[in-house]
Amino acid sequence: MSEATPLQVEDDELALLTDLYQLTMLEAYWKESMRERATFSLFFRKMPSTRRFMLACGQQHAAATISRLRFTPAVLRRLAATGRFHPEFLAWLGEWRFSGDIWTLPEGTPVFPNEPLLEVDAPIAEAQLIESLLMNLVQLETVLASKAVRIVMAARGRPVVDFGLRRMHGVDAAVRGIRAYRTAGLSGTSNVLGGLRHDLQLSGTMAHSYILAHDSETNAFRAFARHFPGTTLLVDTHDTLEGVRQVIELLQEEPDLRIEAIRLDSGDLGELARRSRTLLDAAGQTHVKIIASSGLDEYEIATLLDADAPIDAFGVGTAMGVSADAPVLDLSYKLVEYAGVPRVKHSTGKVNLPGRKQLFRRRDQQGNVTGDIIARREEVIPDAEPLLVPLVRHGRLDEAHMGDAGRARERVAAILPRLPERLRRLEPHDDAAYPVILSPALESLAAFTRQSME
Amino acid sequence: MSEATPLQVEDDELALLTDLYQLTMLEAYWKESMRERATFSLFFRKMPSTRRFMLACGQQHAAATISRLRFTPAVLRRLAATGRFHPEFLAWLGEWRFSGDIWTLPEGTPVFPNEPLLEVDAPIAEAQLIESLLMNLVQLETVLASKAVRIVMAARGRPVVDFGLRRMHGVDAAVRGIRAYRTAGLSGTSNVLGGLRHDLQLSGTMAHSYILAHDSETNAFRAFARHFPGTTLLVDTHDTLEGVRQVIELLQEEPDLRIEAIRLDSGDLGELARRSRTLLDAAGQTHVKIIASSGLDEYEIATLLDADAPIDAFGVGTAMGVSADAPVLDLSYKLVEYAGVPRVKHSTGKVNLPGRKQLFRRRDQQGNVTGDIIARREEVIPDAEPLLVPLVRHGRLDEAHMGDAGRARERVAAILPRLPERLRRLEPHDDAAYPVILSPALESLAAFTRQSME
């Protein structure tokens, strides 16, 4: 790298964010004049053991990006310089546009193993080329939203704020991650660019360095609270309870100061919260809230709340920022149909569902979700809702199906209480937790395809 | 998100990629006219249990970005629209430049707990503002390089190729990750943009979908091998050994076809490699290499090679792409000096080293690394090499200290055989694995600072 290497990837460069074999296969299809339509299905076979459902997220971003994807002359020159590609193929790439359809679950839909998260119907050269970028984009937001929603559930209605920018994997993860967090139901973020771009409330307190840079903790508190009425003060730089006492003294000296909350960032958070609450209440400062942070995840939060710790809001960073216990979702993007003929790779012990599909979700009369049916695309299943919608048609985004992240957030908030209670638990999942069956028509097609390929 | 929301972050927007509290603290420092110089130290207290050393990486990118950081008028308008900041403060931000120094370990340096990876000396408002971005940038490359170097070591000289684009956390991780991989010693990547930008050889084979889109596996092999002389054929779509036999038949039918390798991507890789090798050798195809992929990590690779599996190269994706067993490094960026006075946060059980520091590395007469000494910046330790270099001086990158990723790669290749053998093992680390001591002068300063802050 030289100093001049830009940090950021330009939008125009995204056509290059692909695996080399996509381009070589594309050149092969081009040489072989293989232009039939194919369908690829995006799904995962296994859920991480510490998830009970995944929250599909990122498909809109991915679809919008793919509908704009072009090989610009500058990009083609970089490919030509590799000496790997035929000039006529590169000229053809310059004309490449995604002209196909993308059927997808709406963002914020709970999704389970083997269910199609998204299906692409397009000439094979188009459906193949977008694989790597599509998977990269969808995986990130799905992984982060699926972790964040667990933390939101663990907090039982208390606000959860993201503090994870510094630990997320690079710039794109830190910015698009906020979109996933918003969908999952977080209340705020410390991440300025992420919050501004994806419309999640900004939130922030102070760092220990601010306290240390002043002569005394009290002077630091006073200066900050005067500058920022309604602020949160970080009380654990030296001794947490001593810090709380200084906040109380400050409020007694200057009753007009508005201090909204104190933040505990180390030690036994439950015990410190209880003792801080007692001190604050005894001083009549019942309105001063307590925010806890420091290595929190869904389990820690649940443990604190099970013990009735008087914590009003949680700041969560590291564990959520990389979905530390399950940083990867093993997404597959598989050819399931070519030239009108259903196809699958035969793998011992693996489910591979051929053909174009639709996913149906059943609810009982109270509106509670009871199970899913994976079916062929054209099927109609009575009393069940088809979930895959055509977000892209003939290469164009269908505005009717593009909701904003706010809509996805509402969708999540509405569905969570309707999921079976066992899906909302934090413990490792059991495979029987949620029924997903195949429609008889898809069962027959799968059996027929297996036989015909043997 | 609306359809128009761009995917990518513009270089100009990076000034906003910070935590809100950095900006509020900055406004407080500005109001309080606190303009003294501060030193912040970047280090980690604990290594992930599955690492024996970390490979420092990403500091050059971070430093280059910080030396260019500006608040453009467009960015200032977005901050003004939040209603949180004083207009005069925003005007001052418009003039903000990083004018300080950044001392850093060269990229590709093995680094251990509590050692300064990097130190920033600057007016406090500058040193504070860059915290979040700096940590985000350095963490990503350090985490990925530290995982990748283990995989390189496990492969014992055989090439390792990255296949992980689809599972990495977003666009920036996928592109800058390749830089970290190059430093760690990978041989190639399937990631076109990453490889082109960071000068790592492109590598790619074919996907199962290519086989499935053809009438037969043999026809697919023939077409691909004719298009791309010297290619690698993926033999496990239906039955691996049957696939190998078809490759052999094809080579017998068309002896002029150049097939460089076969790739095994499922099943018992050791056993399949042995049986494939036997088939190929019996047919006189001794020059056809065997590449293995499919869920590999350093442990799997070591197990395969311990059992003498005849595998010539490895493709590694998921486990490396997110450093799955240790996706986070718990980096700290702590104020250690302000206005010439060493300071530290007092934390029970945590090491916090005050003041400006230098890191010295000792070698024995054979050139083998024997241990480190953390010292005060101005110290000279005989027979030990000072590792921190001033990469940025007065806000400007010092070209003499900016190496390219190629130099970092050479540095890693040269140091690995010089590290104590116990650091190159794959097992979880023991704390006694590597001696890191404090110089007497730093010991005294730490004791004095602790006392004076109590």
Side-chain angles (χ1 to χ4, degrees), chain B residues 317-434:
Chain B
T318 306
M320 188 167 69
V322 294
S323 182
D325 60 335
V328 167
L329 178 65
D330 206 6
L331 278 175
S332 293
Y333 182 79
K334 295 291 178 192
L335 179 74
V336 293
E337 185 171 309
Y338 181 64
V341 183
R343 306 186 185 217
V344 284
K345 176 176 180 310
H346 176 69
S347 312
T348 318
K350 288 182 181 173
V351 180
N352 283 299
L353 301 172
R356 300 174 181 213
K357 288 175 287 295
Q358 177 56 280
L359 177 64
F360 290 88
R361 184 151 289 168
R362 279 222 160 105
R363 294 180 183 238
D364 65 15
Q365 299 215 321
Q366 286 73 48
N368 296 314
V369 172
T370 56
D372 292 351
I373 304 158
I374 311 175
R376 299 188 65 167
R377 179 86 57 79
E378 65 277 13
E379 286 190 75
V380 176
I381 309 267
D383 305 321
E385 185 192 0
L387 297 181
L388 292 171
V389 296
L391 180 59
V392 176
R393 286 277 206 189
H394 309 302
R396 294 182 63 86
L397 280 169
D398 185 337
E399 291 295 333
H401 294 296
M402 280 293 288
D404 62 14
R407 248 165 67 187
R409 180 193 182 98
E410 287 162 24
R411 190 175 297 122
V412 172
I415 194 93
L416 286 183
R418 296 304 189 169
L419 291 180
E421 188 276 332
R422 58 189 179 276
L423 292 186
R424 286 177 270 143
R425 293 185 202 152
L426 299 180
E427 294 78 30
H429 74 85
D430 51 296
D431 288 335
Y434 187 77

Side-chain angles (χ1 to χ4, degrees), chain B residues 302-320:
Chain B
T303 302
L304 287 166
L305 294 181
D306 284 346
D308 291 322
I311 296 171
D312 300 291
F314 296 95
V316 182
T318 306
M320 188 167 69

Side-chain angles (χ1 to χ4, degrees), chain A residues 51 56 99 159 212 214 219 230 237 261 275 277 297 327 338 389 420 426:
Chain A
R51 299 287 175 273
S99 71
L212 290 171
H214 286 76
N219 286 342
T237 304
R275 296 177 65 180
R277 186 74 272 160
D297 61 14
Y338 181 64
V389 296
L426 298 181

Side-chain angles (χ1 to χ4, degrees), chain B residues 70-121:
Chain B
R70 302 285 184 272
F71 287 84
T72 62
V75 154
L76 293 173
R77 279 193 296 276
R78 288 165 81 178
L79 286 178
T82 68
R84 291 175 177 270
F85 302 101
H86 196 286
E88 281 178 42
F89 168 67
L90 293 178
W92 174 85
L93 264 191
E95 301 297 314
W96 186 98
R97 301 287 184 273
F98 183 77
S99 72
D101 300 344
I102 300 179
W103 287 71
T104 174
L105 299 181
E107 296 199 327
T109 303
V111 57
F112 301 88
N114 298 313
E115 294 186 345
L117 219 124
L118 180 154
E119 291 199 331
V120 175
D121 307 326

Side-chain angles (χ1 to χ4, degrees), chain B residues 1 3 8 52 56 58 62-63 65-66 89 129 158 172 177 186 253 271-272 275-276 297 313 338 361 394 417 429:
Chain B
M1 180 195 75
E3 172 192 352
Q8 293 309 108
R52 294 192 153 223
T65 302
I66 284 164
F89 168 67
L129 180 66
R158 288 163 190 79
D172 183 36
L186 255 69
E253 277 172 33
E271 181 60 20
L272 290 170
R275 296 175 65 180
S276 300
D297 62 15
Y338 181 64
R361 184 151 289 168
H394 309 302
H429 74 85

Side-chain angles (χ1 to χ4, degrees), chain A residues 14-333:
Chain A
L14 287 174
L16 288 178
L17 196 63
T18 189
D19 289 300
L20 180 64
Y21 75 6
Q22 312 289 11
L23 294 174
T24 48
M25 286 192 286
L26 219 63
E27 181 163 330
Y29 290 141
W30 169 78
K31 283 186 178 167
E32 298 171 63
S33 300
M34 287 176 68
R35 293 186 192 123
E36 298 288 339
R37 282 180 85 82
T39 296
F40 282 77
S41 193
L42 185 71
F43 63 98
F44 53 92
R45 294 183 203 283
K46 272 177 48 182
M47 200 138 55
S49 65
T50 49
R51 299 287 175 273
R52 294 191 153 222
F53 61 89
M54 298 299 290
L55 215 48
C57 199
Q59 307 99 295
Q60 292 188 187
H61 243 151
T65 302
I66 284 162
S67 71
R68 288 196 302 258
L69 212 58
R70 302 282 183 276
F71 287 84
T72 62
V75 154
L76 293 172
R77 279 194 296 275
R78 288 165 81 176
L79 287 177
T82 68
R84 291 174 177 270
F85 303 101
H86 196 286
E88 282 178 40
F89 168 67
L90 293 178
W92 175 85
L93 262 192
E95 302 296 315
W96 186 97
R97 301 287 183 274
F98 182 77
S99 71
D101 301 343
I102 300 179
W103 287 70
T104 174
L105 299 182
E107 297 199 327
T109 303
V111 58
F112 300 89
N114 299 312
E115 295 187 344
L117 219 121
L118 179 154
E119 290 199 332
V120 175
D121 307 326
I124 192 165
E126 299 176 21
Q128 183 71 63
L129 179 66
I130 65 176
E131 174 180 22
S132 314
L133 182 60
L134 175 70
M135 291 178 76
N136 176 283
L137 296 178
V138 172
Q139 184 199 251
L140 172 70
E141 292 192 43
T142 296
V143 162
L144 293 181
S146 302
K147 177 68 171 179
V149 74
R150 289 168 61 81
I151 293 170
V152 168
M153 291 189 297
R156 303 173 199 168
R158 288 165 192 76
V160 176
V161 174
D162 157 52
F163 289 167
L165 161 59
R166 61 193 63 191
R167 310 252 196 256
M168 297 174 88
H169 276 198
V171 171
D172 184 36
V175 175
R176 278 198 297 130
I178 304 310
R179 200 171 167 274
Y181 290 163
R182 183 175 173 198
T183 296
L186 254 69
S187 299
T189 179
S190 66
N191 176 334
V192 177
L193 181 57
L196 290 180
R197 186 180 277 201
H198 295 301
D199 198 18
L200 186 60
Q201 196 183 328
L202 298 184
S203 174
T205 59
M206 54 170 39
H208 297 117
S209 57
Y210 182 82
I211 308 288
L212 290 171
H214 286 76
D215 303 336
S216 72
E217 194 173 35
T218 305
N219 286 342
F221 285 168
R222 182 181 297 110
F224 208 75
R226 284 182 182 166
H227 296 322
F228 302 107
T231 193
T232 296
L233 297 177
L234 178 64
V235 293
D236 73 328
T237 304
H238 302 296
D239 174 286
T240 301
L241 297 176
E242 188 50 39
V244 176
R245 286 188 199 100
Q246 293 194 25
V247 170
I248 291 169
E249 277 172 32
L250 185 60
L251 283 165
Q252 286 163 343
E253 276 172 34
E254 300 191 35
D256 288 347
L257 277 187
R258 285 202 303 109
I259 296 172
E260 176 152 320
I262 58 168
R263 175 157 78 103
L264 314 177
D265 190 44
S266 56
D268 179 339
L269 296 174
E271 180 60 19
L272 291 171
R274 261 183 295 276
R275 296 177 65 180
S276 300
R277 186 74 272 160
T278 303
L279 289 175
L280 289 165
D281 289 352
Q285 305 294 353
T286 53
H287 64 283
V288 175
K289 292 195 169 74
I290 297 176
I291 301 175
S293 57
S294 174
L296 292 176
D297 61 14
E298 63 268 44
Y299 305 105
E300 299 266 354
I301 290 173
T303 302
L304 287 167
L305 294 181
D306 284 346
D308 292 321
I311 296 171
D312 301 292
F314 296 95
V316 182
T318 306
M320 187 167 69
V322 292
S323 182
D325 59 335
V328 168
L329 178 65
D330 207 6
L331 277 175
S332 293
Y333 182 79

Side-chain angles (χ1 to χ4, degrees), chain B residues 431-448:
Chain B
D431 288 335
Y434 187 77
V436 177
I437 59 172
L438 307 188
S439 74
L442 183 58
E443 283 275 20
S444 310
L445 181 68
F448 176 79

